[in-house]
Amino acid sequence: MSMIFKYIYGYILFFMLLASCQHKKVPKDISSNDSTSLYIQKALSNKTPYALRVAYTQNAVDALILHENDSLNRDQLIEMCRSFYNLNSWKNLKRASRLALTRSQAENDEYFVGHSYRWLGIYYQNMDLNDSAFYYYLRAEKIFKKLNNKFFLCHLYIDKGLVFHYTCNYMEAEATLVSALKIAKELNLKYEITKIYMILGMNSSNQKDYVSTFKYYQKALDLTNGESSEKFKISQIITLNNMAINFFYVNEYRRALMFHNESLRKNNFKGFFIYPTAYCLSLDHLANIKIKIKKNKGVEELLNKSARIRDSLNISESKDYNLFLSIEYYYVVNNITKAKKLANKLYNLSKGCGSPGDILISLKQLIKVDPQNALKYSSEYIRISDSMQQLERETRNKFAKIAYETEEITQQKNDAIKRYRQAWMIALGIIFILFLLFIIKFQAAKKRVLELKEVQQIANEEITNLMLDQQNKIDNGRMLEKKRIAQDLHDGIMNMLASTRINLHLLTEKAPEESRKNFSRFVDGIQDIEKEIRNIAHDLNHGALANKGSFVGIAEALIEDQKRISICRYNLEIDSEIDWENLAGYKKIHLFRILQEAMQNILKHAQANNVEVSMRKNQDELIVEIFDDGKGFSFKKAKKGLGLQNIVIRAKSCSGKAMIKTKPNEGTTIEISIPIS
C-alpha cells in the first residue's frame, strides 16, 4: 500500500477526533450517583474534551453492564461502540462490541447481533487484520440480508469494499461498492453515495485507470456542492485533495496546484481548520509538486508548517509522509547529512507502526541517501517485500476459505430440479465445445494473417532501408557540393573582393578631400558584401553544427560578435545537462538560425539595453528563451515581417513551437520549445 493512498483511506473515517489516546480518570464532579444517561450524554458531546469523552464512554459501558439486558440497553451499547470508534479508542471498541454481541445473542436479537458483528469487523479492519474483518462483515451481511435492512446492508457493502480494496482485490472491491451504490441510490442516501464515489475513485486510481478516477471524484464533488453540513464540507475538502493527487499522477501539475489551493481555501474557515489532517496533507502535496517541478523555493516552509500544525493538534496521521518529503527535499538540495538523519527517523517510525509498506518506503530512502549501507538495507527490503507478497496471497485465500466456511448448508433440491440442471449443464457443455472449436479455427486463421503481415512488414523494412541509403548518398553529395561552393566563395571571391577593397582604399587616400567621403562609402559597401558572402559560406558549410562542442562554441561566438557591434549587455546561459549529441543536426541548424535572426532583430529594431539568452532542458524538450528590454511592439500595428515568420516556421520544422510575447515599451520575449529526441 503506497504511503499517499494510506492517508487517502483514512479520509473515509471522517469524524475521527485527532488527539492523544491517553486515558484519564473522570473528574471529581462525576459522583457515583450520576445516571447512565448523563455519562452517555457527556460521552457523545463534541464540547467535552477528548480524554474526558473516552472516560465518560468507558463509564457508560460499565454502567450499562449493570442494567437489564433489554433492547434499549443493547442500543446504547451499540451507540457507545460508535463513540469509541469516533475517538480512535480501539481496545475499548473491541470490548464494547463483544459485550453487545454477548447480550444480543443471549436474547436472540438478530438486529443487534448484526450491528455487533459489524463493529467487530470495523475494529479488526483498523487493526489491519483484514481476514478477521471480512469474517465479521460476512456474518453481519447475512443477518441484514435476512432482515431486509437495506440501509445497514449498504454500509456493510461499503465496509466490505474497503477490505477488498486494502488487500488489492480491486475487482471484488468495485463489484461490492457498485452493490452498495445501487442500494444508496434506491434509498436516496446522498452522503453514502458521495462516500461510495470517493472509494470507487481511489479503487480506480490504484489500478491506474485515471479516467474513471476523475469521473468518480467529479461525481462526489458535484454531490457536495450546495451542502452546508460539516460532513459534506469534509467530503468536499477530501475530494478536492484526491483530485489534486491524481492530477499529480498524470503530470498535470498546474491543475494539481489549483485543486490543492482550493482545498486549502475551503478548509480554512476564519482561521480555523475544518479538517486539519487534510489541510496538512495539502501542504505536503504542494511541497511535493514543487520538488517534482524543481522549484524548491518555499518547499521547506510548507513542510515545516505542516509539521507544526500536526504537532500543535497532536495529529499522528501522515507524519511519516511529511518526513518522506523532507528527505526528498534535503536530498535534492544536497543536504545529505540531514536527509540521512530524517531517513533513519522515518525508518524507526515505520517500524514502530508495524506497517510493512511504510518500512519498504523508508528503506528505499535509506538506500538512496546512505549508499555505504545500501547492501544491508537492500537485503532487508527484499526480505520484507517477499513476506508482503506471501501475506497478500494468504489473505486472499483466507477470504475464499472464510466465505466457504460461513456459507450455510442449502436445502436439497428435488429430482426435477436436478434433472433440469443436468439438462442445462449438458446443453452448456455442447455449446462450450462448439465455441471452443470455433475459437481454435479462428485463432488458426488469425495466425496465418499475422504471418502474412510479418512477411509484408519485413519487405517494407527492406524497401525503407534502401530508400534511406539512397537518400543518405544524395545528402552526402549535396553536402560535398555545398562545401566546395563555400570554399570557392571564401577562398576565391572573398580574396578578390578583399584585394579590390584594399586597392580602392589606397586610391581613396590619394583622392581629393571632397571625393574621399564618397569613395569611402563604396569601400565600406564592398566590406558589407564580404560579410554577406562570408555568411553565405558559413550557411553552406553547416557541418560544424553536428556536435555539442561546435554548437555551443558557435552560439557563444555569435553572442560575442553581437557584443562587439552593439552597446547592449548580453548574457548567455546554456544548461550543462543538454545532450547536444542526441539533438539532430538539422534541429541545431534551425536553432542557430533562429538565434541569429533574433539577434539581428534586436540590433536593428529593439533599442534594448539588456539581452538574456537561455537554453535549458525540461524533461524531453529543449527550451530556448530570448529576452530583450527594448521598446517592444504591438502585433496589431506591426507588419508581419519575414524574420518573425522564419522563426515560427523553423520551430515547426523541428516539430516544436515558438511563442512571441511583446508589448510596446515592455520588451520582447521569444520562447522556442523543440523535442530533443
Side-chain angles (χ1 to χ4, degrees):
M1 186 186 302
S2 72
M3 189 176 294
I4 294 175
F5 275 105
K6 176 184 175 184
Y7 304 118
I8 298 177
Y9 303 147
Y11 285 157
I12 305 306
L13 311 177
F14 291 123
F15 300 110
M16 285 184 175
L17 300 182
L18 305 172
S20 169
C21 291
Q22 298 296 323
H23 173 65
K24 295 184 180 180
K25 294 183 179 180
V26 180
K28 293 181 179 180
D29 64 319
I30 298 298
S31 66
S32 58
N33 295 325
D34 287 327
S35 65
T36 304
S37 60
L38 180 60
Y39 287 130
I40 294 173
Q41 180 183 351
K42 295 203 172 192
L44 298 178
S45 174
N46 289 329
K47 294 181 180 179
T48 306
Y50 169 81
L52 294 182
R53 284 186 66 184
V54 174
Y56 284 125
T57 310
Q58 287 174 330
N59 279 271
V61 171
D62 293 338
L64 287 169
I65 295 173
L66 304 175
H67 287 205
E68 182 183 354
N69 184 11
D70 54 17
S71 60
L72 177 61
N73 180 268
R74 294 189 291 275
D75 184 63
Q76 289 173 329
L77 278 172
I78 293 299
E79 192 65 30
M80 293 303 96
C81 289
R82 183 177 290 104
S83 179
F84 282 131
Y85 163 75
N86 289 335
L87 295 166
N88 286 348
S89 185
W90 305 115
K91 289 184 179 179
N92 285 316
L93 171 60
K94 181 181 180 183
R95 172 176 174 257
S97 54
R98 286 205 175 277
L99 178 61
L101 178 61
T102 302
R103 292 203 153 198
S104 301
Q105 288 175 333
E107 296 297 321
N108 198 24
D109 188 340
E110 288 189 321
Y111 177 80
F112 287 111
V113 168
H115 278 290
S116 302
Y117 281 146
R118 179 173 177 244
W119 283 113
L120 279 168
I122 290 171
Y123 162 75
Y124 284 112
Q125 181 177 315
N126 282 277
M127 294 295 103
D128 286 332
L129 299 172
N130 291 304
D131 51 345
S132 298
F134 182 78
Y135 169 78
Y136 285 107
Y137 286 153
L138 202 62
R139 301 194 71 173
E141 179 189 351
K142 289 182 180 296
I143 291 173
F144 288 127
K145 275 185 177 179
K146 183 179 178 181
L147 298 174
N148 196 28
N149 191 322
K150 292 186 177 180
F151 178 83
F152 288 110
L153 194 59
C154 174
H155 285 263
L156 249 299
Y157 284 145
I158 294 173
D159 296 332
K160 275 182 63 181
L162 281 170
V163 170
F164 283 127
H165 181 69
Y166 293 159
T167 54
C168 304
N169 196 345
Y170 302 121
M171 297 299 291
E172 288 289 344
E174 185 171 353
T176 307
L177 290 166
V178 168
S179 299
L181 185 61
K182 288 179 181 178
I183 298 173
K185 287 183 176 180
E186 179 185 345
L187 301 180
N188 196 26
L189 305 174
K190 188 173 181 180
Y191 175 69
E192 282 73 14
I193 294 171
T194 304
K195 188 157 65 172
I196 292 166
Y197 279 139
M198 290 171 65
I199 304 171
L200 282 169
M202 294 189 299
N203 200 61
S204 298
S205 183
N206 262 16
Q207 298 175 81
K208 301 189 184 305
D209 181 6
Y210 295 118
V211 174
S212 298
T213 300
F214 288 120
K215 179 184 72 175
Y216 288 129
Y217 282 156
Q218 188 59 54
K219 287 183 177 181
L221 204 58
D222 292 341
L223 288 169
T224 61
N225 289 334
E227 295 290 341
S228 58
S229 64
E230 185 178 7
K231 63 182 182 181
F232 276 101
K233 287 181 180 178
I234 293 174
S235 298
Q236 188 177 52
I237 290 165
I238 293 166
T239 306
L240 287 169
N241 256 7
N242 291 355
M243 290 277 276
I245 290 167
N246 278 278
F247 277 121
F248 176 85
Y249 289 155
V250 296
N251 299 326
E252 293 193 31
Y253 303 123
R254 184 182 61 80
R255 299 188 72 181
L257 285 169
M258 180 180 71
F259 276 90
H260 274 311
N261 287 326
E262 181 67 7
S263 175
L264 288 170
R265 186 182 67 80
K266 290 184 178 293
N267 206 346
N268 193 339
F269 180 72
K270 296 181 179 179
F272 295 95
F273 305 127
I274 296 174
Y275 193 29
T277 301
Y279 191 90
C280 294
L281 196 58
S282 294
L283 294 176
D284 290 338
H285 281 302
L286 284 174
N288 193 17
I289 293 170
K290 283 179 171 287
I291 294 171
K292 185 72 176 178
I293 62 178
K294 298 180 180 179
K295 291 186 178 180
N296 297 321
K297 186 177 180 180
V299 170
E300 190 174 16
E301 289 78 3
L302 287 170
L303 294 172
N304 289 339
K305 182 179 179 181
S306 173
R308 284 196 304 273
I309 294 172
R310 286 191 182 93
D311 291 339
S312 64
L313 299 177
N314 199 19
I315 300 173
S316 59
E317 283 84 357
S318 71
K319 270 190 174 180
D320 46 358
Y321 182 56
N322 180 270
L323 271 175
F324 171 82
L325 292 178
S326 298
I327 296 165
E328 287 289 314
Y329 167 74
Y330 288 117
Y331 182 77
V332 167
V333 300
N334 207 28
N335 191 343
I336 303 302
T337 303
K338 194 157 187 177
K340 190 186 298 184
K341 180 181 177 181
L342 292 176
N344 281 292
K345 184 178 179 181
L346 176 61
Y347 178 60
N348 293 328
L349 181 63
S350 60
K351 284 202 301 183
C353 295
S355 172
D358 289 353
I359 294 174
L360 289 180
I361 291 171
S362 64
L363 285 169
K364 268 189 177 180
Q365 294 295 84
L366 282 168
I367 291 169
K368 182 165 65 174
V369 303
D370 190 5
Q372 293 180 348
N373 297 311
L375 184 60
K376 179 181 72 173
Y377 298 133
S378 298
S379 301
E380 181 69 6
Y381 182 92
I382 293 169
R383 184 187 66 79
I384 295 174
S385 179
D386 291 343
S387 65
M388 282 181 66
Q389 292 178 6
Q390 180 63 27
L391 180 62
E392 185 178 311
R393 288 193 292 268
E394 290 175 357
T395 302
R396 290 186 183 181
N397 293 334
K398 280 183 181 179
F399 285 173
K401 186 177 179 182
I402 290 167
Y404 175 77
E405 290 178 349
T406 56
E407 189 68 34
E408 297 178 356
I409 301 174
T410 59
Q411 296 180 352
Q412 295 294 325
K413 304 297 180 182
N414 55 46
D415 293 339
I417 295 175
K418 285 184 178 180
R419 286 194 297 271
Y420 180 76
R421 284 185 175 178
Q422 287 172 356
W424 267 107
M425 290 298 292
I426 292 170
L428 288 173
I430 294 170
I431 293 171
F432 177 75
I433 292 170
L434 292 173
F435 179 73
L436 192 61
L437 291 172
F438 171 77
I439 291 295
I440 291 170
K441 289 185 177 180
F442 177 77
Q443 290 294 334
K446 190 176 180 180
K447 183 179 179 182
R448 287 194 295 272
V449 172
L450 289 173
E451 288 174 351
L452 290 173
K453 285 184 177 179
E454 186 177 352
V455 172
Q456 183 65 38
Q457 185 177 358
I458 292 171
N460 290 338
E461 288 177 357
E462 290 178 354
I463 292 170
T464 303
N465 289 334
L466 289 172
M467 292 175 65
L468 289 173
D469 289 341
Q470 185 64 27
Q471 186 62 41
N472 286 334
K473 290 178 181 178
I474 293 171
D475 290 342
N476 289 335
R478 287 175 178 172
M479 182 62 69
L480 291 173
E481 184 63 19
K482 286 181 179 180
K483 286 185 176 180
R484 185 188 65 78
I485 293 171
Q487 188 174 3
D488 289 345
L489 287 172
H490 189 276
D491 296 343
I493 295 174
M494 280 284 295
N495 289 336
M496 292 168 64
L497 284 172
S499 175
T500 301
R501 177 170 55 81
I502 292 169
N503 290 331
L504 285 174
H505 182 72
L506 294 174
L507 290 174
T508 300
E509 293 294 327
K510 298 176 181 180
E513 182 66 28
E514 295 178 357
S515 303
R516 192 175 300 173
K517 291 183 180 179
N518 293 327
F519 292 162
S520 296
R521 285 194 296 107
F522 293 115
V523 173
D524 292 340
I526 293 174
Q527 189 172 12
D528 291 338
I529 294 171
E530 287 180 45
K531 288 181 180 178
E532 186 64 27
I533 292 174
R534 185 183 296 109
N535 290 337
I536 293 171
H538 286 170
D539 288 346
L540 290 170
N541 193 14
H542 59 73
L545 297 175
N547 57 61
K548 172 184 174 181
S550 62
F551 180 81
V552 174
I554 289 173
E556 291 174 346
L558 177 63
I559 297 301
E560 289 299 322
D561 286 343
Q562 295 298 311
K563 289 180 179 179
R564 284 194 293 271
I565 63 176
S566 173
I567 61 172
C568 293
R569 289 186 292 275
Y570 289 83
N571 183 37
L572 173 64
E573 294 182 1
I574 301 178
D575 191 348
S576 60
E577 294 184 3
I578 299 173
D579 188 359
W580 295 102
E581 293 182 0
N582 284 338
L583 189 64
Y586 78 94
K587 290 184 179 180
K588 297 178 191 175
I589 295 167
H590 283 303
L591 189 58
F592 179 74
R593 292 294 171 234
I594 289 170
L595 189 61
Q596 199 174 41
E597 182 66 36
M599 293 299 104
Q600 287 294 325
N601 287 343
I602 292 170
L603 184 62
K604 291 178 181 178
H605 309 296
Q607 299 179 12
N609 294 320
N610 297 283
V611 179
E612 297 284 341
V613 180
S614 69
M615 302 180 189
R616 69 178 189 278
K617 181 181 178 184
N618 184 14
Q619 296 182 350
D620 294 331
E621 285 190 331
L622 175 61
I623 307 297
V624 179
E625 287 185 352
I626 305 167
F627 166 77
D628 71 80
D629 60 357
K631 65 180 182 179
F633 60 91
S634 172
F635 277 109
K636 294 181 180 178
K637 296 181 179 179
K639 297 179 181 179
K640 295 183 178 179
L642 185 60
L644 293 179
Q645 292 180 18
N646 285 341
I647 289 174
V648 174
I649 291 169
R650 287 185 182 276
K652 288 182 179 178
S653 299
C654 299
S655 302
K657 59 184 179 180
M659 288 192 300
I660 302 171
K661 302 175 184 177
T662 182
K663 285 184 180 180
N665 302 319
E666 293 186 13
T668 303
T669 299
I670 300 175
E671 183 178 305
I672 311 295
S673 59
I674 59 174
I676 293 176
S677 57

